Amino acid sequence: MRDHFIGSSLAALMGISTCWWKKNHNTHHVVCNSIENDPDIQHMPIFGVTPGIWAKPFWSTYYEKWVRMDAFAKWLVGKQHILYLPIMAVARFNLYAQSWILLLSSERLHYRKTEICALLFYASWLVKLATCMPTWPEVVGWLLLSHAVGGILHIQITISHWAMATYHGHAYTCDKDEWYITQLKTTMNVDTPQWLDWVHIGLQFQIEHHLYPRLPRHNLRKAREMVKEVCKKHNIDYHEPGFFQAVAETVQALSKAACKARSSTRGESGFYESALWDGLTLTG
């Protein structure tokens, strides 16, 4: 609990709730790339990383709500490969919002008051720093540019999973989708030279991180060699493209899904099942 308190206090330097991160990230690790259960691939109505997201409406066990595609979502998802990089540039604002949504909810949390105080401190510092700029266009420009630089982190995280296999429900049901194999199916590494480890801070070793979540990041490169030997011995695919190739594969995966979204018609995949859309079109 002391570690949790330290993490909650350090939210003052990051602007993101430690409670939110633990809830979101721990769930992601247990059900990596599960359509119904993994919050890290549930980004409707903006992103649908696989057609399975909108094949039919589903209940998100994390957000506790139904997820379906309507006309507005279809329009956005149909352009997701174009929107991907611009949205990653401002994705951190979504983490701020998710942090506050959780902290202001009725869910039982550790150190709620500590984190609220920490996030208020961060928000005050950010606003004060931004408004030091002489003009409002510079204020907005600084905010967008500073968060766009941080957007590189969001790209690094999303390329680890968005182009990989997804599945419905729960895995770990037989020897074809047991823990080790499922992590390798749903996760890719990013091949980087060792001298760039300080840039990628261990996030390029997502396979090893998912197999051994508590392994310190300074040992991930060593673990990588051992895992590759196991994969070679048992003929398991170990996917490790370079950074720019990984980005390209992610954009290609989003583009393929977008193409299928654009070709969907009324009555399929829950499209147009939206009260807002019905109101705008005066139907119902």
Side-chain angles (χ1 to χ4, degrees), residues 9 17 44-45 50 52 58 70 79 86 106 108 113 115-116 121 147 151 186 195 201 220-221 264 269 276:
S9 301
S17 164
M44 294 288 287
T50 172
F58 68 88
D70 56 26
K79 295 174 174 57
S106 59
R108 184 177 179 181
K113 293 180 180 179
E115 291 202 2
I116 289 177
F121 175 86
H147 284 75
T186 58
W195 62 272
I201 58 174
L220 289 172
R221 184 172 284 277
S264 296
S269 308
L276 175 61

Side-chain angles (χ1 to χ4, degrees), residues 12-23:
L13 305 179
M14 301 177 291
I16 299 173
S17 164
T18 298
C19 289
W20 171 82
W21 175 252
K22 288 183 68 175
K23 178 185 177 183

